[in-house]
Amino acid sequence: MAKSIAKTAQEPHFFDDVSAFFDHAAQFTKHPQGLLNQIKVCNSVYRFSFPFRRGDQIEVINAWRVEHSQHMSPTKGGIRYSDMVNEDEVMALAALMTYKCAIVNVPFGGAKGGIAINPKNYSVSELENITRRYTVELIKKNFIGPAIDVPAPDYGTGEREMSWIADTYTTMNPGQLDAFGCVTGKPLSLHGISGRKAATGRGVAIAIRECMDVAEDMKGIGLTPGITGKRVIIQGLGNVGYNTAKVLIEFGAIIVGVCEYDGALYNPDGLDPDAILEHRKNTGSILGYKKATQSFKTPAEGLEQACDILVPAALENQLTEENIGRIKAKVIAEGANGPTTPGAADAFVKNGGIIIPDMYCNAGGVTVSYFEWLKNLSHVSFGRMDKRYEEMSNLNLVNTVETITGKSLTSAQRMAIVKGADELELVNSGLEDTMIRSYHEIREIKNSNQAIDTLRTAAFVGSINKIAVSYQNLGIWP
Ligand code: NAD
């Protein structure tokens, strides 16, 4: 009989949550306990503080970088700026990165970083100083480098911060050919890759579409198959939430609800994420947006409105045992890391819902980060070498078919067939393939054993097995 992962009286901390999910899944593997312990533990936890001058005051900044597992190198994971960042959170997020990379076959170990600041309280030049000093602290301890540990954006950071990190690292490592591979999520003009910014959200949307397309699973939860017309509520209209919403609309879904830190909006006929962001830019809040039929001053209320799919894409611990009973969605797609506590997840699934787990659902970002790192190591953009060759081959084929059949294509048809793929198309194609394959791999693991109760457990089983093989192949030295 499988052990339950639900904790009763008190909800545990985030790293304990991830460990609880791990232990639950480990029951369905056959690895020695010592190896499982090695996989679960955080290998290196670097906590540091540094002074920051603000006017004539000195402020102490607390920061972390955690490398969870070196079963593959380099390690990889985002950097978060939030005044709620703490060691437990960074450890949990680093661990999730290890499992996430294994799930989508990205050959990295997991890592995560954080600086305990609210970026809204600092000017751009102050943020630059803090980011550069953070990077120098990582360099001093060998916690960053294209073959060591490669950060990326996360909550509160983006292309701008990644540029500062890249510039600091390359300045401190003159002549290092692959230095720009020290960080991903950089802007295109600084050796970034097309499609990285939207990749996590695009991946979340593909994960949802894949889940909704399985007729048998949809029947089980009383929904018709397919994404078209499905009602979605998004929590957090930042990088992940915004891009998820945009791609879901492209796929035919309706964004009926949006929850932000300053309130929530609802309209059963659909909301326009761009118009909401424009409204916030002009007024300072999403509240007051005229095309919403309902508004909520308490953001959490927005999560509880009628919908088919809920996408938490803000922070961890948003769905707890306290509010999960009021959630009307049938599917939770975890865009954020750790948004559902184990107790809440257990209750939701027991009540007949499906959770698309974070470690798979938001893995699109690290997948495209991997492509960016490959681009940085190869020093050439994807498609540059073969686009024209591909177009000429396609043209020859079209000409041959036209000659044999005696029929001609219109110039629009001709263009569509002949055109070679550019970097964005290649990146999106690689991302889509990864998300589709990984979903069905997880689903197959789940269906292979009736005792494997959820997609999350199945995802953990798959990644534990892959990481175990990796550790076993490496051996132990000395
Ligand atoms: P972001 O900073 O771009 O966006 C977060 C958004 O959430 C902001 O708009 C913020 O205002 C909003 N928010 C904050 N508190 C909220 C609350 N209580 N209720 C509603 N909204 C709230 O961050 P992001 O990069 O989109 O990351 C969001 C989540 O996705 C995090 O858990 C992060 O770890 C995860 N994630 C991000 C990436 C990535 O590539 N950026 C990759 C994988 C996972």
Side-chain angles (χ1 to χ4, degrees), residues 80 154-156 196 200 236 238-240 259-261 313-314 335-337 362:
R80 175 175 286 205
D154 192 72
Y155 186 89
R196 170 60 184 90
T200 308
N239 180 317
V240 178
C259 312
E260 257 293 331
Y261 67 90
N337 285 307
N362 66 34

Side-chain angles (χ1 to χ4, degrees), residues 187-223:
L188 204 49
S189 55
L190 204 72
H191 309 286
I193 195 166
S194 307
R196 170 60 184 90
K197 204 168 167 185
T200 308
R202 176 167 288 276
V204 172
I206 296 168
I208 294 171
R209 188 192 62 191
E210 226 34 49
C211 171
M212 306 309 286
D213 275 350
V214 183
E216 188 190 334
D217 295 352
M218 288 305 105
K219 197 171 168 203
I221 58 171
L223 289 180

Side-chain angles (χ1 to χ4, degrees), residues 80 93 97 100 112 120 153-157 196-197 200 235-241 259-263 280 299 312-316 318 335-338 362-363 365-366:
R80 175 175 286 205
L93 293 166
M97 281 305 297
K100 187 180 301 186
K112 205 79 180 189
K120 291 194 176 80
D154 192 72
Y155 186 89
T157 59
R196 170 60 184 90
K197 204 168 167 185
T200 308
Q235 183 197 35
L237 213 51
N239 180 317
V240 178
C259 312
E260 257 293 331
Y261 67 90
D262 52 348
R280 178 154 79 176
L315 282 171
E316 56 270 15
Q318 298 300 302
N337 285 307
N362 66 34
V366 76

Side-chain angles (χ1 to χ4, degrees), residues 430-464:
L431 169 63
E432 182 157 7
D433 186 59
T434 302
M435 295 307 295
I436 292 174
R437 273 172 197 269
S438 303
Y439 186 78
H440 293 287
E441 188 181 308
I442 296 167
R443 197 176 166 271
E444 268 170 37
I445 294 172
K446 181 174 180 295
N447 290 348
S448 69
N449 181 345
Q450 275 198 339
I452 299 182
D453 46 359
T454 63
L455 288 172
R456 189 186 324 271
T457 305
F460 265 101
V461 169
S463 56
I464 291 171

Side-chain angles (χ1 to χ4, degrees), residues 121-134:
N121 296 341
Y122 296 84
S123 68
V124 173
S125 69
E126 287 175 332
L127 286 173
E128 179 172 357
N129 288 345
I130 292 170
T131 306
R132 288 186 185 275
R133 177 63 187 254
Y134 176 83

